[in-house]
Amino acid sequence: PEKKNRGLNVAEQVRLTIDNIKQENGMNSDEELMLAMRRQGIDFEAWKNQMEENIMRQGVIVTEVDRNIVIEDSGTVNYYKSHPEEFTDPIEYKLKAIYISSQQRSSEEAEKLKQEISSKVAAGEEFASLASAYSEGPEKETQGDLGRFKEGELAKDLEEAVVNLKTGETTPWLKVQDGWYLLCLEEKKERRLKAFEEVKKQIEEKIFAERRQEMLQKFLEELKERSYIKIINPKPFDS
């Protein structure tokens, strides 16, 4: 069975070390590495087993370090205050749309159709019904539903047109590559900074992971120094 130590994948670390040695010495197989080690009086399996034991031993140390990492409340509060962008929900728009194609239609015909739709919107007719009746895009089948968009996800000109709308208001007709859109703002969620208590656990996990990563990196560097062997003849099959 694959050897593991409380989340540390021993077999994977051994394989990475072996692969690194082969890569650095221009070797293509384990057999090539074994032959080079044998010529230096090193038993490959004994060396590999020793490396596994080192990883297991060091893994216990890393686990014990985990237990001793303490995240102070002051540290989480400071992180929260210093990184508000990480905990801010962006503006989100829910839009309905009517799309009119400019294909196979003269400018005069398109303008007449847009004015007809705009007049009905102004008269208070339900936007969803108008979308079902007039839209020439997929919105026709969804009563105009275009979906939800977070800040920055809409095309710039479309977002600029909806950013100042109030719920229920519509944009002017917006020209796109092959037609026009009339957008209606169905719902808008304003930008919101999450409360500290909402994200406290998330911050603690992030700080913990960063500190643990520092310790793990140090461990792997020490492991590399202990397990690394210098191949005197990196091309043992060359004459």
Side-chain angles (χ1 to χ4, degrees):
E2 186 180 76
K3 294 184 179 180
K4 289 188 177 181
N5 180 64
R6 301 183 185 181
L8 184 65
N9 191 324
V10 176
E12 181 181 359
Q13 296 300 330
V14 170
R15 172 47 52 191
L16 285 173
T17 301
I18 291 174
D19 288 346
N20 284 338
I21 292 174
K22 289 192 299 184
Q23 183 177 2
E24 290 176 12
N25 290 278
M27 297 178 175
N28 298 314
S29 67
D30 287 358
E31 289 70 22
E32 221 176 323
L33 175 60
M34 290 179 196
L35 179 57
M37 293 176 70
R38 192 179 306 126
R39 289 181 173 179
Q40 296 179 51
I42 302 171
D43 182 273
F44 177 82
E45 289 300 325
W47 170 81
K48 182 179 175 182
N49 290 336
Q50 184 61 50
M51 179 163 50
E52 288 179 350
E53 291 178 12
N54 287 341
I55 293 174
M56 292 289 286
R57 191 179 304 114
Q58 292 292 339
V60 171
I61 294 174
V62 170
T63 300
E64 292 305 314
V65 168
D66 284 357
R67 292 176 179 175
N68 291 306
I69 293 177
V70 177
I71 310 297
E72 300 289 347
D73 283 346
S74 58
T76 32
V77 171
N78 287 338
Y79 189 94
Y80 174 76
K81 291 181 177 179
S82 301
H83 302 81
E85 70 285 351
E86 290 187 28
F87 313 111
T88 300
D89 289 332
I91 297 172
E92 184 176 277
Y93 309 96
K94 184 179 181 184
L95 301 172
K96 285 188 178 295
I98 297 174
Y99 170 75
I100 298 301
S101 174
S102 60
Q103 305 297 311
Q104 300 179 342
R105 179 180 281 131
S106 69
S107 298
E108 291 77 13
E109 290 172 332
E111 191 60 33
K112 182 179 179 181
L113 182 57
K114 288 189 292 177
Q115 288 180 3
E116 179 182 336
I117 296 169
S118 294
S119 295
K120 292 188 176 185
V121 170
E125 291 196 31
E126 186 182 33
F127 195 92
S129 298
L130 293 173
S132 295
Y134 287 98
S135 188
E136 297 172 336
E139 304 78 27
K140 185 178 186 69
E141 307 301 325
T142 62
Q143 293 190 311
D145 186 21
L146 196 62
R148 294 182 179 273
F149 300 87
K150 293 182 179 179
E151 187 176 14
E153 290 181 344
L154 279 169
K156 186 177 179 181
D157 54 341
L158 299 185
E159 185 162 339
E160 288 176 350
V162 302
V163 67
N164 293 318
L165 291 182
K166 296 178 181 178
T167 302
E169 291 183 340
T170 59
T171 64
W173 284 96
L174 305 170
K175 186 71 176 73
V176 291
Q177 184 175 359
D178 53 1
W180 293 267
Y181 268 116
L182 183 66
L183 302 180
C184 176
L185 180 63
E186 187 174 10
E187 181 185 336
K188 181 179 180 180
K189 292 183 179 179
E190 297 291 348
R191 188 180 294 108
R192 182 183 77 93
L193 176 63
K194 296 177 183 177
F196 174 71
E197 289 303 323
E198 291 182 67
V199 296
K200 180 180 179 182
K201 184 176 181 181
Q202 177 185 341
I203 297 172
E204 289 174 342
E205 290 174 350
K206 182 180 180 65
I207 294 175
F208 182 91
E210 288 176 352
R211 293 184 183 175
R212 188 180 191 280
Q213 183 58 36
E214 291 174 2
M215 298 299 299
L216 183 59
Q217 186 62 40
K218 182 178 179 181
F219 152 61
L220 292 176
E221 289 298 326
E222 292 175 352
L223 175 66
K224 183 176 180 180
E225 292 177 4
R226 293 185 182 187
S227 303
Y228 188 78
I229 60 169
K230 181 178 180 181
I231 304 300
I232 297 175
N233 180 11
K235 299 287 185 180
F237 298 120
D238 291 350
S239 55

